[in-house]
Amino acid sequence: MNQSAAVIQGAPKREETTTYKILFIIGLCHLLNDSIQAVIPAMFPVLEKSMGLSFTQLGLIAFSLNIVSSIMQPVIGMMADRKPMPFALPIGLTFTLFGILGLGFAPSFEWIIVSVLLVGLGSAIFHPEGSRVAYMAAGPRRGLAQSIYQVGGNTGSALAPLITALILVPLGQRGASLFTIAAAIAVGLLSYIAIWYSRRIIWTKGPSKAKKSKVPVNNAVSKAVKISLLLILFLIFARSWYTSGITNYYAFYAIDQYALTIRESQMFLFAFLVAGALGTFSGGPLADRFGKKNIIFFSMLGAAPISAVTPFVPAAAAFILLAISGFILMLSFSVTVVYAQELIPGKIGTMAGLTVGFAFGMGALGSIGLGYLADVIGLPLTIILTGFLPFLGVLALFLPSDKKLASWYN
């Protein structure tokens, strides 16, 4: 968090206290937000049957959902670094509420697009300020605080297959409207958070001298920072395209390949996403011990051989391999965010918005790109090719080490 924009009020002793109540509430809100967002790709098998949509149209729906977050998150992150916006949190979830309500009753493809744009906008507003709340409530335990916050979101995403199996399959499209209840609960909780948040900040103008002193002035270092940031974004691209392929299209592949029902196919995605949530929670502590660069490198290349062979094994083995690859691949999720924040100190919201927003954007492009590819060359070959994307993780070798990164600013 840029301390020139917001300073936590209160006695010094209180500043050092981790506010677990706020952390658990914001983590729960992250779960609710991301579970609502996950309803949209979870509905793909239902929409494909009820509306006769093509893979390209399904990709356009996912693109519409994620591209808003991709564009808006960095912008909101930069704005929040200058002037935090506590009540943007409940306002954002109100957009989501109307979006999910519209999705449940959308009569056509065009109305679905409008609805998911509203959900995407709400998510874009929530994430940067939600991350800032976790920072403010962290006290001395910032790693733990971010883990609680991030695992809430990934757990929400992991609920998508269960949502499909238990709600959307029996109730159909209208079942999505039930999630307005979750959105309303989140709005109420975030209103409480916003009041807590607004009481603990004061507004100031301009960047502090301390933050200015951390901006690199050496041209060689500046160039290296830019190259490293581009590498991080490219690694996020590879990870996002792979996860987009699995979450949006693997259910169709499993149905065709293993003769599964929609409900059964969702259990494969559930295994992948739950393991991914565990990986996200584990990545931070492992990075503290073994180094951020090492975990990013291991996360990508460690998952690569598993993801490559998954399409060629029987159903039981595929279920296990999906869980393993999800855990390993998502070890880097929060680590890439922290790495980017350390590349450019003092821009907590901007770097969080850029990296997470870029992940949404690449997921959006992956959805439409892989959907079009599936229509052209067939879904089985598309899934096979997608499995080779994590091999691009070899580029993590060219990232500066954690020690070198620290030396740039000391």
Side-chain angles (χ1 to χ4, degrees):
M1 175 180 175
N2 190 330
Q3 293 180 351
S4 67
V7 180
I8 302 175
Q9 290 182 331
K13 184 176 180 180
R14 184 170 186 174
E15 291 178 5
E16 295 300 319
T17 301
T18 302
T19 313
Y20 287 102
K21 179 181 179 181
I22 296 299
L23 285 177
F24 287 126
I25 293 175
I26 197 66
L28 175 60
C29 290
H30 200 183
L31 184 153
L32 293 172
N33 178 84
D34 284 24
S35 65
I36 294 169
Q37 190 170 336
V39 168
I40 295 167
M43 287 183 68
F44 282 2
V46 176
L47 293 175
E48 190 266 343
K49 284 194 171 183
S50 65
M51 289 190 170
L53 302 181
S54 67
F55 287 121
T56 302
Q57 287 177 307
L58 294 176
L60 281 169
I61 294 172
F63 176 82
S64 300
L65 171 68
N66 292 326
I67 197 62
V68 176
S69 289
S70 177
I71 294 172
M72 292 299 297
Q73 280 200 50
V75 175
I76 293 171
M78 287 187 286
M79 292 170 61
D81 279 333
R82 296 184 178 184
K83 185 176 182 180
M85 302 173 288
F87 287 92
L89 289 164
I91 291 171
L93 260 292
T94 302
F95 282 113
T96 298
L97 188 153
F98 284 111
I100 200 66
L101 181 63
L103 182 65
F105 295 95
S108 65
F109 174 72
E110 291 77 14
W111 277 107
I112 289 175
I113 294 294
V114 172
S115 298
V116 300
L117 285 173
L118 286 173
V119 175
L121 178 60
S123 182
I125 295 171
F126 170 80
H127 280 99
E129 283 294 74
S131 182
R132 183 174 298 278
V133 167
Y135 183 97
M136 292 176 66
R141 299 188 176 185
R142 291 175 184 170
L144 174 63
Q146 287 299 321
S147 293
I148 293 172
Y149 172 69
Q150 294 293 351
V151 81
N154 284 358
T155 301
S157 297
L159 293 175
L162 291 182
I163 291 169
T164 301
L166 300 178
I167 299 176
L168 299 180
V169 170
L171 298 180
Q173 181 181 345
R174 296 290 175 90
S177 61
L178 291 176
F179 288 88
T180 56
I181 299 172
I185 292 172
V187 169
L189 291 173
L190 289 173
S191 297
Y192 172 81
I193 289 284
I195 294 170
W196 174 89
Y197 183 174
S198 62
R199 287 175 177 171
R200 283 160 176 77
I201 58 175
I202 60 173
W203 313 104
T204 59
K205 297 181 180 180
S208 67
K209 292 181 180 180
K211 292 302 177 185
K212 283 185 176 179
S213 67
K214 287 188 176 183
V215 177
V217 295
N218 184 287
N219 288 334
V221 170
S222 297
K223 183 178 179 181
V225 166
K226 293 176 183 177
I227 293 172
S228 300
L229 184 57
L230 287 174
L231 281 174
I232 283 292
L233 293 177
F234 190 79
L235 292 170
I236 292 173
F237 150 78
R239 186 184 67 209
S240 297
W241 270 57
Y242 176 72
T243 55
S244 177
I246 296 298
T247 55
N248 290 323
Y249 302 113
Y250 189 82
F252 298 104
Y253 178 82
I255 291 169
D256 292 339
Q257 187 76 11
Y258 305 122
L260 302 178
T261 64
I262 293 177
R263 185 172 299 187
E264 290 169 341
S265 71
Q266 296 303 308
M267 294 302 101
F268 285 71
L269 300 188
F270 182 68
F272 177 79
L273 293 169
V274 167
L278 293 174
T280 298
F281 187 77
S282 304
L286 289 173
D288 288 339
R289 180 172 182 179
F290 299 106
K292 290 178 286 295
K293 175 185 175 179
N294 293 334
I295 292 302
I296 293 170
F297 177 76
F298 170 75
S299 171
M300 298 294 292
L301 279 192
I306 301 171
S307 64
V309 303
T310 298
F312 303 101
V313 300
F319 183 90
I320 295 170
L321 292 181
L322 278 172
I324 296 173
S325 64
F327 178 84
I328 296 175
L329 191 67
M330 295 306 287
L331 286 171
S332 65
F333 186 85
S334 60
V335 181
T336 50
V337 176
V338 175
Y339 191 95
Q341 289 172 337
E342 293 188 3
L343 272 174
I344 307 179
K347 298 293 183 181
I348 301 298
T350 302
M351 288 299 102
L354 177 63
T355 51
V356 178
F358 187 79
F360 275 107
M362 287 301 98
L365 291 176
S367 298
I368 193 168
L370 294 173
Y372 177 77
L373 194 63
D375 284 333
V376 173
I377 67 173
L379 184 61
L381 183 55
T382 299
I383 293 295
I384 290 170
L385 293 176
T386 301
F388 287 92
L389 284 169
F391 280 103
L392 294 174
V394 70
L395 294 174
L397 283 173
F398 300 99
L399 290 171
S401 67
D402 293 38
K403 288 183 180 180
K404 187 173 183 179
L405 194 62
S407 71
W408 288 349
Y409 302 101
N410 293 329

